[in-house]
Amino acid sequence: MKTKCQKIWGLVLSLLLVVPLITMNPVKAENVSHKVFELSAPEKASVGHTIDVDLRMYPKDKFAAFDLYINFDEEALKYKSAKLGMGSLGISVEYNQVAPGKLKVAVAKGDEFESNIDDSILITFKMEVLNTKEAVGTHGIQLEVYKSTDVNGGKLDFVNEIKNTQITIDAPLKQISLNKKSLVMDKGNTETLVVSKIPEFTTNTDVVQWSSEDSEIASVDQNGKITAHKGGKTTIKAAIGEFAATCEVTVTIPLESLSIDKLDSAIDVGSKQQLVVKYLPLDTTVNKKVTWKSLDTTIATVDENGIVTGVKRGTATIQATMAGMSTTVEVKVKQPLVGIKIDQSDFTLIKNKEKALTVSEDPSVHDDVIDQKVWSSSDEKIATVD
């Protein structure tokens, strides 16, 4: 009886020893079924930059070759080059872009290849992020295994394995500009400036900040609308972060009216008169240089300072021009009486006889008014005159 119990107990022990062996076999198989491919890329990138897309492979000892496709969006990325990582002894790789957005990669193991389950093969692909509107957004990059063989020429179980990764591409602001670099505005007028972002498809959404160097001359609101207040110059600035653009603004006050002020109603031949220009508004910003001109220099002339000189009897028009605006004034030139002359300077007269004398005026035509002639004798004992 004791012997029979011992046999049963021994059988139970044997079963207990066998069960762990059976349950351990799948664990060993899981260690063999380790990951084979990893595909990684930066989560974010910017247009115009170059990124690294890494393909890392953890092949089994029995692998002989892999044929892979790297698929990417040709509107966002452009393949530039590939490089096999350090330590991949005995590995040969061929690269061939077979179509837009499709890169074929052939990986083969040479005789000198040595690896264990923890070794990896790294291939880094250089990709250019295109500087286009279409590149902005999220794009996928895909690894597709379409052929794998072992050392005996058999197929491995990696065919049709697919790995995906994605990258989000933005377009940082590079520069801003204004639609006008300079402006000339009349007082009271308004103009609106427009900001252009470079690139125009930038993903930057920051608000434009506007400012005026001298808001008393011209102010600007946060929509870029400029209002001219008084004559002068100022700089309007638009800024987005570190980027800025400026516009030089000149505010002008137009000339509204021009007139000539003369001191006397008339001048004599040979005499002079200063003419003075009056203009409105007094704070006009136009060039205040006056150009003078006589429309009849035979009667009166005028110099560059507005001094009129009478030449002969008559009326002349004097013109003054400032900032393209002209005005005129009539100047009357009078001929004064220079002198008178008796027709006979001396003569002989018989006692108690009479003789009529006449007087001539010099010049004969003049503008002086003579009410009457007053005659006198220097010695009435000799001769009298009425």
Side-chain angles (χ1 to χ4, degrees), residues 315-385:
T315 300
T317 300
I318 304 299
Q319 181 185 73
T321 302
M322 176 192 289
M325 182 179 289
S326 296
T327 187
T328 60
V329 68
E330 300 297 318
V331 174
K332 183 178 181 180
V333 180
K334 297 189 305 179
Q335 176 61 60
L337 178 65
V338 176
I340 59 174
K341 183 180 179 182
I342 299 175
D343 57 347
Q344 288 181 292
S345 60
D346 63 83
F347 58 89
T348 301
L349 182 65
I350 297 174
K351 184 178 178 180
N352 296 322
K353 294 292 183 180
E354 295 180 353
K355 182 177 178 62
L357 299 177
T358 59
V359 174
S360 60
E361 298 174 352
D362 182 22
S364 59
V365 179
H366 58 81
D367 294 289
D368 287 342
V369 177
I370 300 176
D371 294 329
Q372 63 179 359
K373 298 181 180 68
V374 179
W375 295 85
S376 64
S377 170
S378 62
D379 191 343
E380 291 189 349
K381 293 179 179 180
I382 297 174
T384 60
V385 62

Side-chain angles (χ1 to χ4, degrees), residues 29 32 110-111 114 118 149 159 171 224 239 255 263 266 277 332 334 356-357 385:
V32 174
D111 294 338
E114 295 181 4
D118 295 321
T149 57
V159 178
L255 181 64
L263 302 179
V277 163
K332 183 178 181 180
K334 297 189 305 179
L357 299 177
V385 62

Side-chain angles (χ1 to χ4, degrees), residues 264-283:
D264 299 318
S265 59
I267 62 172
D268 291 338
V269 172
S271 65
K272 299 179 183 296
Q273 181 181 12
Q274 175 72 62
L275 299 181
V276 177
V277 163
K278 290 185 176 181
Y279 55 84
L280 291 174
L282 296 178
D283 61 347

